[in-house]
Amino acid sequence: MAYNDDKINMVHGAGGEVMQDMISDIILGNISKTSVNGGIGLEALDDSATIPIDDEHVVVTTIDSHTVDPIFFPGGDIGRISAAGTLNDVSVMGVKPVSLNNAMVISEGFEQSDLEKIIKSMNATCEEVGAAIITGDTKVIDSDKLDNIIITTAGIGIGRKDEVVTDSGLEVGDKVIITGSVGDHGMAIMSKREGFGYDTELKSDVAPVWSMVEAAKKVGTITAMKDPTRGGIANALNEMANKASVGMRLDEEKIPIKPEVNAVSEMLGIDPFEVANEGKIVMGVKADTAEDVLQAIQKTKYGKDAQIIGEVTEGKHVIMETVIGGERLVEPPIADPVPRVC
Amino acid sequence: MAYNDDKINMVHGAGGEVMQDMISDIILGNISKTSVNGGIGLEALDDSATIPIDDEHVVVTTIDSHTVDPIFFPGGDIGRISAAGTLNDVSVMGVKPVSLNNAMVISEGFEQSDLEKIIKSMNATCEEVGAAIITGDTKVIDSDKLDNIIITTAGIGIGRKDEVVTDSGLEVGDKVIITGSVGDHGMAIMSKREGFGYDTELKSDVAPVWSMVEAAKKVGTITAMKDPTRGGIANALNEMANKASVGMRLDEEKIPIKPEVNAVSEMLGIDPFEVANEGKIVMGVKADTAEDVLQAIQKTKYGKDAQIIGEVTEGKHVIMETVIGGERLVEPPIADPVPRVC
């Protein structure tokens, strides 16, 4: 197994089990203080951390480096993904994101006009949720040391403690909702790289999810949420089930997948459940509010294709009833099959 | 001038005037919302931003990407600078830093043992101020696309609104304090790169400055603070003077410079005022509390060599009375003469 090697390889960064091992051993094992004021900290490995401020308020915060390749892709660019990715990690904690910090490391020779496009895209994405960009840092590196650009964004949300939703709160009987079609981002990146490019209709789903969270909260009870980025829904669903010591039963027929995603998926032999989404949420919802939540989400800009895809069960496996009437185990991937996806 | 070119070059990232121009034009010019709840936002270009939470509390936050080369250098490493750099940007807002978010982009083939050293160093630095590391992100990139490692940290401090000190509050008559010797970090990096390496006693000053801020606040009134990183004290002093529309008169004799920094500085023809410090603060202090503040700082671990180096005047220039009895204008550098210094 790659982990026994003494050098870091691509699998260590691919959002799967090997990466979890490295994070536990080298990172968590060497950090002495991982939370503030009893909030959700690093070892929770949730989408964001929380810092309780007083009896009522909480700050939600997260960070993500974005190294997506290519930086301009069908449906988005590194600016949009840098904003949406981080705003989404805050959003799926149930709290409204208010701001981004934006740190860019740019290769010498990078086109100023491309940088401007990226900033505009980032800004447009922030405007959708009303978030501000409040701090920044810019570094330039020799072009033989860095290819292109890396954008790291940290996000902050501010809300009430009782709004916070973790990724570990699933309970038996909850319905599982996915807010739209699966695998769009990973497959769009892969297909662009493979040169299918703009010939297909395949586009990344990269988008801010806050409007869907807001709509869902108003009408229902969300027990757990996660945005299924690296490692796809296979990773997210297993992580949620595992953290809550429950299982899931999914109905394959209900899981929305675009025909063009299926096509590329078959051509490349890549499971669309294992690749990143950048504008979706997987959520557990109390069964009696699930229909209301579904309808509320479907009325939002990015939630038209939302579906109830299954429910939470006893046990510890994520099991899918297949279209042809069988059953298959949905397992967490060792790694996202598409590198540099976000 | 480099700015007229359409490609980004090293000077754009070097913390000087060319960089300020690019930030204004391409970044600030394209961002529509730059602050939250009336707090200090992006356009202030202060060390950190603030988000007022309620009548009393404020969140202070900032972000920095660290690309220092080499990653292990005399006196520190990229882990220590990633923690200290960001904790310091929060500290010089007058508010105690409580947490870091840590995002690492690692080149494939990077030694796991080096990563562990870096994490341990980062952790030890956080322990000095009692800050937690609460969120993280790890990405791995092909070694032909990135050399080594880039670490981006965002920091959060939480305090009372009345604690916040900006970098624009200088008033005529204030004393100017520097908390220790000037140019150590930049010259240590440069001398290691030039191969003087460990032959000299020259070490980076990289350290968390919070203990000095805390000590100073207790006994005096700080009107403005800044940590003089890229561009050195020449950049920091001019920025502070410029923002407050005042001038300064400095006494060269009082500005602490280590003999080994002077030696390397002369050998390389680099002005120690223009290179980065990573464990220092430049502050303006009300004159009647300046001696008390100085003594309090001198009692802290990193403040032994602190000095009152001058005072705030009418006008708009930073003027230094030289050791030989003349006067010289201290001007903001076009760029930090040492690239990839932090």
Side-chain angles (χ1 to χ4, degrees):
Chain A
M1 182 171 151
Y3 176 69
N4 292 320
D5 198 338
D6 57 356
K7 289 186 197 294
I8 287 168
N9 62 49
M10 296 304 286
V11 177
H12 287 114
E17 286 196 335
V18 175
M19 184 170 155
Q20 300 292 349
D21 285 348
M22 180 183 77
I23 287 173
S24 293
D25 276 23
I26 299 189
I27 302 177
L28 287 176
N30 286 302
I31 297 177
S32 41
K33 186 173 180 185
T34 56
S35 66
V36 179
N37 297 349
I40 297 168
L42 189 64
E43 72 295 312
L45 298 175
D46 206 328
D47 301 277
S48 295
T50 66
I51 305 177
I53 296 286
D54 53 29
D55 288 347
E56 197 188 353
H57 295 99
V58 68
V59 172
V60 175
T61 182
T62 192
I63 193 164
D64 259 320
S65 286
H66 304 274
T67 63
V68 61
D69 177 26
I71 59 171
F72 296 97
F73 50 82
D77 57 53
I78 194 171
R80 183 157 174 84
I81 208 171
S82 294
T86 293
L87 295 170
N88 290 350
D89 277 340
V90 172
S91 299
V92 295
M93 301 301 288
V95 163
K96 184 175 161 67
V98 296
S99 68
L100 283 186
N101 300 337
N102 172 34
M104 301 185 292
V105 182
I106 307 170
S107 172
E108 191 178 21
F110 196 83
E111 295 286 342
Q112 293 201 22
S113 57
D114 281 347
L115 181 62
E116 186 152 20
K117 271 188 228 162
I118 288 166
I119 298 287
K120 283 181 172 167
S121 174
M122 188 179 282
N123 183 59
T125 310
C126 286
E127 279 184 340
E128 288 191 57
V129 284
I133 299 177
I134 60 173
T135 72
D137 179 49
T138 307
K139 296 271 172 12
V140 180
I141 288 196
D142 333 35
S143 54
D144 61 336
K145 302 287 175 84
L146 171 71
D147 169 64
N148 250 342
I149 186 170
I150 292 174
I151 302 183
T152 306
T153 47
I156 288 183
I158 293 170
R160 296 189 322 274
K161 282 179 173 176
D162 60 12
E163 290 183 284
V164 173
V165 178
T166 68
D167 62 2
S168 61
L170 289 181
E171 284 172 26
V172 174
D174 290 349
K175 297 294 183 186
V176 179
I177 289 178
I178 175 97
T179 61
S181 60
V182 162
D184 300 20
H185 178 72
M187 288 305 180
I189 293 292
M190 204 62 205
S191 104
K192 168 86 171 153
R193 260 185 231 161
E194 294 290 319
F196 310 151
Y198 295 91
D199 295 346
T200 75
E201 287 299 301
L202 185 49
K203 284 202 171 70
S204 167
D205 60 342
V206 57
V209 300
W210 171 248
S211 58
M212 297 189 281
V213 174
E214 196 176 26
K217 278 162 52 120
K218 276 188 190 146
V219 297
T221 307
I222 306 167
T223 56
M225 270 194 282
K226 206 157 186 67
D227 72 325
T229 55
R230 274 184 290 180
I233 64 163
N235 196 57
L237 292 169
N238 274 285
E239 206 176 324
M240 290 167 88
N242 190 34
K243 284 183 174 176
S245 301
V246 296
M248 279 183 202
R249 252 194 122 70
L250 307 177
D251 181 355
E252 186 176 19
E253 221 164 30
K254 294 283 188 181
I255 301 176
I257 302 191
K258 292 192 169 134
E260 56 268 32
V261 167
N262 262 333
V264 174
S265 157
E266 277 167 27
M267 199 152 20
L268 299 174
I270 292 177
D271 184 348
F273 287 12
E274 297 190 356
V275 303
N277 311 275
E278 291 292 340
K280 300 291 153 45
I281 314 167
V282 176
M283 55 173 83
V285 177
K286 283 280 161 228
D288 59 344
T289 66
E291 270 303 329
D292 291 344
V293 168
L294 182 67
Q295 284 173 30
I297 291 172
Q298 285 173 341
K299 280 180 197 142
T300 64
K301 182 172 180 187
Y302 300 115
K304 291 179 190 67
D305 300 329
Q307 288 292 338
I308 297 171
I309 62 169
E311 66 175 25
V312 179
T313 61
E314 306 273 358
K316 54 178 194 175
H317 295 298
V318 177
I319 295 163
M320 187 168 68
E321 295 172 15
T322 62
V323 179
I324 53 166
E327 282 187 354
R328 114 160 147 89
L329 211 55
V330 178
E331 290 190 288
I334 300 299
D336 190 309
V338 185
R340 292 191 68 181
V341 77
C342 60
Chain B
M1 183 168 150
Y3 176 69
N4 291 319
D5 197 339
D6 56 357
K7 290 186 197 294
I8 287 168
N9 62 49
M10 297 303 287
V11 177
H12 286 113
E17 285 195 336
V18 174
M19 183 170 158
Q20 300 292 349
D21 284 348
M22 181 183 76
I23 287 172
S24 293
D25 275 24
I26 300 190
I27 302 177
L28 287 176
N30 286 301
I31 297 177
S32 41
K33 186 172 179 185
T34 56
S35 65
V36 179
N37 297 348
I40 297 167
L42 189 64
E43 72 295 311
L45 298 176
D46 205 327
D47 301 277
S48 295
T50 66
I51 305 176
I53 297 285
D54 52 30
D55 287 347
E56 197 186 353
H57 296 99
V58 68
V59 172
V60 175
T61 184
T62 191
I63 193 164
D64 260 321
S65 286
H66 303 274
T67 63
V68 60
D69 178 27
I71 59 172
F72 296 98
F73 51 80
D77 57 53
I78 193 172
R80 183 158 174 83
I81 207 170
S82 293
T86 293
L87 295 171
N88 290 350
D89 277 340
V90 173
S91 298
V92 296
M93 300 301 287
V95 164
K96 185 176 161 68
V98 296
S99 68
L100 283 186
N101 300 336
N102 173 33
M104 299 184 294
V105 182
I106 306 171
S107 172
E108 190 178 19
F110 196 83
E111 296 287 341
Q112 292 202 22
S113 58
D114 281 347
L115 181 61
E116 186 154 16
K117 269 188 229 164
I118 289 166
I119 298 287
K120 283 183 173 168
S121 174
M122 189 181 281
N123 183 59
T125 310
C126 286
E127 279 185 340
E128 289 190 57
V129 283
I133 299 176
I134 60 173
T135 72
D137 179 48
T138 307
K139 297 271 173 11
V140 180
I141 288 198
D142 333 36
S143 54
D144 60 335
K145 302 287 176 82
L146 171 71
D147 169 62
N148 250 341
I149 187 170
I150 293 174
I151 301 183
T152 306
T153 48
I156 288 183
I158 294 172
R160 295 190 323 275
K161 283 179 175 177
D162 60 12
E163 290 182 284
V164 172
V165 178
T166 67
D167 62 1
S168 61
L170 289 181
E171 284 171 27
V172 173
D174 291 349
K175 296 294 181 184
V176 179
I177 290 177
I178 176 95
T179 61
S181 60
V182 163
D184 300 21
H185 178 72
M187 288 305 178
I189 293 292
M190 204 60 205
S191 103
K192 167 88 171 151
R193 258 185 232 161
E194 294 290 320
F196 310 151
Y198 294 91
D199 296 346
T200 76
E201 288 300 300
L202 185 49
K203 283 201 172 67
S204 167
D205 60 342
V206 57
V209 300
W210 171 248
S211 58
M212 295 188 283
V213 174
E214 197 176 26
K217 277 162 51 120
K218 277 188 191 147
V219 298
T221 307
I222 307 168
T223 55
M225 271 195 283
K226 205 157 188 66
D227 72 324
T229 55
R230 274 184 289 180
I233 64 163
N235 196 57
L237 292 169
N238 274 284
E239 207 176 324
M240 292 167 86
N242 190 34
K243 283 182 175 178
S245 302
V246 295
M248 279 184 204
R249 256 196 118 70
L250 307 178
D251 180 355
E252 185 176 20
E253 219 163 30
K254 293 284 187 181
I255 301 176
I257 303 190
K258 291 190 170 136
E260 55 269 32
V261 168
N262 261 333
V264 175
S265 156
E266 277 168 26
M267 200 151 18
L268 300 174
I270 292 177
D271 184 347
F273 287 13
E274 296 191 357
V275 303
N277 310 275
E278 290 292 340
K280 300 289 154 44
I281 314 167
V282 175
M283 55 173 83
V285 178
K286 283 277 162 229
D288 59 346
T289 65
E291 269 302 327
D292 291 344
V293 168
L294 181 68
Q295 285 173 30
I297 291 172
Q298 285 174 340
K299 280 179 196 144
T300 65
K301 184 173 178 186
Y302 299 116
K304 290 178 192 66
D305 300 329
Q307 288 291 338
I308 296 171
I309 61 169
E311 67 175 24
V312 178
T313 60
E314 306 274 358
K316 54 180 194 173
H317 295 297
V318 177
I319 295 164
M320 186 168 68
E321 295 172 15
T322 62
V323 179
I324 51 163
E327 281 188 356
R328 113 161 147 89
L329 213 54
V330 177
E331 289 189 290
I334 300 300
D336 190 309
V338 184
R340 292 191 68 181
V341 77
C342 61

